[in-house]
Amino acid sequence: MRLHHVQVACPPGGEDVARRFYVEALAMTEVDKPEDLRARGGAWFRAHDEHGAVTAEVHVGVEDPFVPARKAHPALLLDSPAHFQAAASRLALGGFDLDLSQRHSFPGHERLHTHDGHGNRIEILVQRV
């Protein structure tokens, strides 16, 4: 078994805010939703490794009424400490808060927590070398 994708929510009309977080700050690529799902709104994002293989997929779906996920969260594992630092820099430059208080609390990893533009909690981590 493997994980195909995770889904987080946004309010109606929140797709551009999601794009700013996932594309600009996390360097993911937006992919087209299947035609029969487009009317629901939302957006899908993928990350790829250096060979082009999909390594992560996040679906942002529209919820009305919307309530951000404050505890439940996707944890995105980055390939290297350099990628971790680059993501942290892009997040900070994008105005997203970084919580580094638990940076060394997960064995074998460094991590940070942030919130997307809608308040959903997101964990970013990398294996320690």
Side-chain angles (χ1 to χ4, degrees):
M1 181 184 308
R2 63 187 178 97
L3 184 65
H4 183 272
H5 69 273
V6 296
Q7 182 160 329
V8 298
C10 75
E15 291 86 355
D16 286 341
V17 172
R19 288 180 184 101
R20 192 170 76 78
F21 182 79
Y22 290 99
V23 174
E24 294 177 24
L26 293 185
M28 296 179 83
T29 303
E30 184 172 2
V31 296
D32 290 334
K33 291 179 65 173
E35 183 66 39
D36 58 337
L37 298 178
R38 289 183 192 156
R40 297 179 184 180
W44 291 6
F45 305 96
R46 285 187 187 141
H48 300 85
D49 66 15
E50 65 275 2
H51 306 292
V54 175
T55 57
E57 187 163 329
V58 176
H59 295 180
V60 179
V62 174
E63 271 187 12
D64 190 14
F66 168 72
V67 177
R70 298 284 185 195
K71 181 77 172 168
H73 63 276
L76 302 172
L77 179 66
L78 301 185
D79 295 331
S80 70
H83 288 131
F84 181 85
Q85 280 306 122
S89 294
R90 286 190 310 271
L91 286 161
L93 287 171
F96 298 100
D97 291 331
L98 303 180
D99 176 359
L100 297 166
S101 65
Q102 298 178 46
R103 185 170 186 155
H104 300 288
S105 64
F106 193 79
H109 295 79
E110 289 189 44
R111 66 184 181 159
L112 65 84
H113 291 91
T114 189
H115 292 89
D116 68 13
H118 301 295
N120 295 303
R121 185 177 188 212
I122 309 292
E123 181 176 346
I124 309 295
L125 66 160
V126 65
Q127 287 186 318
R128 282 193 205 129
V129 227

